[in-house]
Amino acid sequence: MRKKNFFLIFCLLAAFLAGCGNTQRKSAVVPVKQQFINIAADGAAGSHFQLSGVLAEILNKGIPGLNVSVETTDGSAAGIALLADGKAELAVAQNDVAYYAVNGTAMFQGKKIGSLRGICALYPATLHIVALERLGLKKVGDIR
């Protein structure tokens, strides 16, 4: 149910944003300058790719001259790397991976990307930690 509600809210928000702009129409045909936006997302079967595809479709239909495409990547870190290299204008990434990139930790150790900016949170990312009972772990702090 949460995913359905989120998807509906996401689509409504994207449609609203696509509809924002000058609604006055002029009788003369004015050439529209093409603008290209590449969204880096995860693999084609992933939720980030699916959401990015819906967003691209809505924006392409709603904003004349805008050409939004979605590029499959090997995940959040790869998408952020494309952003850093100027090969994508937007990326959908997990919040922890974006944190690592901004702070230069984990897979971005020594490669801090301080110029990242978040524009929205798509949905809460719940983490489930599962362990074998025989390990005797009772809380996250018990993991070493």
Side-chain angles (χ1 to χ4, degrees), residues 36-41 52 69 71-94 97-99 101-102 108 111-120:
F36 298 90
I37 294 177
N38 186 27
I39 303 174
S52 298
S69 60
E71 181 175 346
T72 60
T73 71
D74 288 333
S76 296
I80 290 173
L82 287 174
L83 276 177
D85 292 342
K87 295 178 181 173
E89 288 69 41
L90 296 170
V92 180
Q94 290 175 237
V97 177
Y99 175 88
V102 169
F108 291 95
K111 297 178 251 172
K112 185 176 180 177
I113 305 171
S115 61
L116 288 182
R117 298 294 178 263
I119 59 172
C120 68

Side-chain angles (χ1 to χ4, degrees), residues 2-3 124-131 140 143:
R2 266 185 162 173
K3 287 183 181 180
T126 304
L127 172 67
H128 298 276
I129 299 174
V130 181
V140 175
I143 301 172

Side-chain angles (χ1 to χ4, degrees), residues 20-91:
C20 292
N22 188 354
T23 57
Q24 296 177 346
R25 303 285 183 218
K26 298 185 179 186
S27 58
V29 176
V30 178
V32 177
K33 181 181 176 190
Q34 284 288 98
Q35 182 174 352
F36 298 90
I37 294 177
N38 186 27
I39 303 174
D42 56 9
S47 61
H48 292 170
F49 184 83
Q50 301 302 318
L51 290 169
S52 298
V54 171
L55 178 60
E57 184 178 339
I58 291 168
L59 293 174
N60 284 331
K61 286 181 181 177
I63 302 176
L66 188 62
N67 185 339
V68 181
S69 60
V70 182
E71 181 175 346
T72 60
T73 71
D74 288 333
S76 296
I80 290 173
L82 287 174
L83 276 177
D85 292 342
K87 295 178 181 173
E89 288 69 41
L90 296 170

Side-chain angles (χ1 to χ4, degrees), residues 3-20 51 54-55 58-59:
K3 287 183 181 180
K4 288 182 184 177
N5 287 340
F6 166 75
F7 187 71
L8 177 61
I9 291 169
F10 178 79
C11 289
L12 290 173
L13 177 63
F16 171 76
L17 291 174
C20 292
L51 290 169
V54 171
L55 178 60
I58 291 168
L59 293 174

